[in-house]
Amino acid sequence: MIILGIETSCDETAVAIIDGDKPVGARILSSLVLSQLEEHRAFGGVVPEVAARAHIDHIHPLITGALQDANLTFDDLDGIAATCGPGLIGGVMIGMMAGKAIAAAKNLPFIAVNHLEGHALTPRLTDDTAFPYLLLLVSGGHTQILIAEGVGSYKRWGTTLDDAAGECFDKSAKLMGLPYPGGPEIQKIAAQCKDPAAALKRFPLPTPMKGRKELDFSFSGLKTAVRQSVEKLPAGDLNRNDIADLSHAFQHTVAEIIADRCARSIERFKSEYKINTPTLVVSGGVAANIAIREKLKQMCETHSIKTYAPPVSLCGDNAAMIAWAGYEHLKTGKSDPLDFKARPRWPLDPSAAPRHGAGVKA
Ligand code: KG4
Ligand code: ZN
């Protein structure tokens, strides 16, 4: 089955075509991602109205381009999948309406995809990971520990009580005078840290929630500590070595917090799901971070559990993951009506109890 996927929930306009019946490695027939970084950089973050207008400008040429790259026409498609939430609603509407229009014109099934499920199912697109698996979903808007039990079936074991990990990277980067998006910038400058051990002593940052029995996260205290550290540095233009040290300490601390929460989840996963080869999957934009990937790999080795992170190019927002999620749903016989309403909030596990402070992110 050949599916065209559309992703417009944040600041990336993306269109991809996949053939889900092909083996791993041969499924993605085309995948275009147009990042709006330059449009938003001046504001230090994503401006919803600017994003929505940019999606309008880019969506049509990207759809044409994705078909050309795959050497296909609309007549070759078996279904259209579009992100219908959660996300910035103006942008979501644009991708969703474009998808519905193609589905209506070509009489194709339309699949309304939950953006989070796109991230959650990526390891099946790229690695055929079998259900159930333990999933750490770390992105700019979400930080959750879930069990992926099946297509459309998730249990949420933990979530952030305040900022998402990617949000913490972005806000901390801003405090250090680094451009948006902060994650890749912090990773880049942290690599220039000359004495990592000394940097950790110089900037001892807090590790909120570490060691706690619940599987939740908290990152806002870490961001505050970064602000206080920056305020203690000499006034004026920040010295590059100072920022490299602080970035290293920050990245190391985020990795520590995440590894601690995942280690606890692994123990629970092993005892509740008695699987021969349990797997921890990490996905979402922050999963591109090399230090976090390495830390999780080491931790999983000591816990005798397989770990898997998708290729870096498929960690951040893309449409191949949306097309794949559409394929997985369509294979189970599910498609959606053309009056499906966009959802600014759309939890993967609607039955999960709300957490104090987690509010909109849960
Ligand atoms: O999944 P994603 O592309 O969009 C959302 O669904 O949120 O994630 C974007 C987030 C941003 O906060 C960005 O700073 C972060 O992922 N990110 C990283 C890295 N690359 C992207 N964070 C840490 N290290 C990276 N290398
Ligand atoms: Zn995302």
Side-chain angles (χ1 to χ4, degrees):
M1 271 195 300
I2 300 182
I3 310 290
L4 182 139
I6 301 176
E7 159 59 39
T8 55
S9 67
C10 193
D11 58 343
E12 261 101 20
T13 320
V15 179
I17 300 174
I18 62 136
D19 183 347
D21 300 328
K22 288 231 159 90
V24 161
R27 289 177 179 154
I28 302 177
L29 307 183
S30 62
S31 180
L32 297 175
V33 181
L34 207 138
S35 182
Q36 304 170 3
L37 286 184
E38 292 315 318
E39 276 103 322
H40 299 286
R41 197 157 254 167
F43 303 97
V46 180
V47 184
E49 179 65 23
V50 172
R53 284 168 192 271
H55 288 309
I56 293 178
D57 290 343
H58 301 316
I59 190 76
H60 186 238
L62 280 190
I63 292 171
T64 313
L67 284 166
Q68 270 168 4
D69 283 2
N71 209 9
L72 298 174
T73 70
F74 284 125
D75 294 327
D76 298 309
L77 304 177
D78 297 299
I80 309 290
T83 297
C84 290
L88 302 174
I89 202 66
V92 169
M93 299 274 287
I94 287 150
M96 182 184 78
M97 292 313 290
K100 285 179 177 177
I102 302 169
K106 289 288 165 188
N107 200 20
L108 290 169
F110 173 76
I111 309 100
V113 173
N114 180 328
H115 175 87
L116 300 176
E117 190 168 29
H119 285 303
L121 295 178
T122 301
R124 292 171 57 78
L125 163 65
T126 54
D127 192 48
D128 275 340
T129 305
F131 292 122
Y133 49 89
L134 180 61
L135 170 68
L136 169 73
L137 203 162
V138 265
S139 69
H142 296 84
T143 300
Q144 304 189 347
I145 288 175
L146 300 137
I147 307 300
E149 293 193 328
V151 178
S153 176
Y154 301 88
K155 289 226 164 70
R156 198 196 72 200
W157 279 0
T159 187
T160 181
L161 304 177
D162 38 59
D163 290 348
E167 195 178 359
C168 186
F169 266 98
D170 295 338
K171 289 177 176 171
S172 299
K174 200 171 176 181
L175 290 166
M176 291 189 259
L178 299 172
Y180 175 85
E185 295 296 326
I186 287 184
Q187 173 167 297
K188 225 187 298 163
I189 195 159
Q192 294 165 21
C193 168
K194 294 197 177 89
D195 186 344
L200 297 184
K201 284 210 185 95
R202 193 176 165 210
F203 294 110
L205 298 171
T207 51
M209 300 302 284
K210 189 174 169 191
R212 292 276 286 269
K213 203 161 99 284
E214 319 85 282
L215 298 173
D216 294 325
F217 297 84
S218 166
F219 288 104
S220 69
L222 181 55
K223 174 193 63 193
T224 304
V226 168
R227 197 190 65 230
Q228 288 163 344
S229 303
V230 169
E231 281 165 2
K232 282 186 204 141
L233 292 171
D237 279 351
L238 296 170
N239 174 309
R240 236 184 137 68
N241 290 335
D242 292 341
I243 297 307
D245 280 2
L246 183 53
S247 290
H248 171 75
F250 171 82
Q251 186 174 262
H252 175 91
T253 306
V254 175
E256 284 277 313
I257 297 169
I258 287 178
D260 171 76
R261 310 286 67 212
C262 288
R264 275 190 180 263
S265 320
I266 288 170
E267 291 316 313
R268 181 170 163 195
F269 185 55
K270 280 186 180 163
S271 77
E272 288 187 27
Y273 294 75
K274 308 211 178 315
I275 310 162
N276 290 337
T277 49
T279 305
L280 168 74
V281 164
V282 47
S283 77
V286 182
N289 186 277
I290 308 295
I292 293 174
R293 286 165 92 102
E294 274 305 309
K295 178 83 189 167
L296 286 174
K297 207 166 135 220
Q298 283 164 18
M299 184 275 292
C300 285
E301 270 165 24
T302 58
H303 283 78
S304 315
I305 178 171
K306 190 184 156 203
T307 176
Y308 178 74
V312 167
S313 62
L314 292 171
C315 285
D317 289 349
N318 65 87
M321 69 179 190
I322 302 304
W324 174 258
Y327 166 82
E328 291 242 46
H329 277 280
L330 201 55
K331 224 169 71 170
T332 67
K334 182 195 163 257
S335 64
D336 295 287
L338 291 181
D339 63 355
F340 187 97
K341 292 198 177 46
R343 299 180 180 172
R345 316 260 168 262
W346 190 355
L348 277 179
D349 177 5
S351 69
R355 295 284 204 282
H356 172 71
V360 296
K361 300 208 178 63

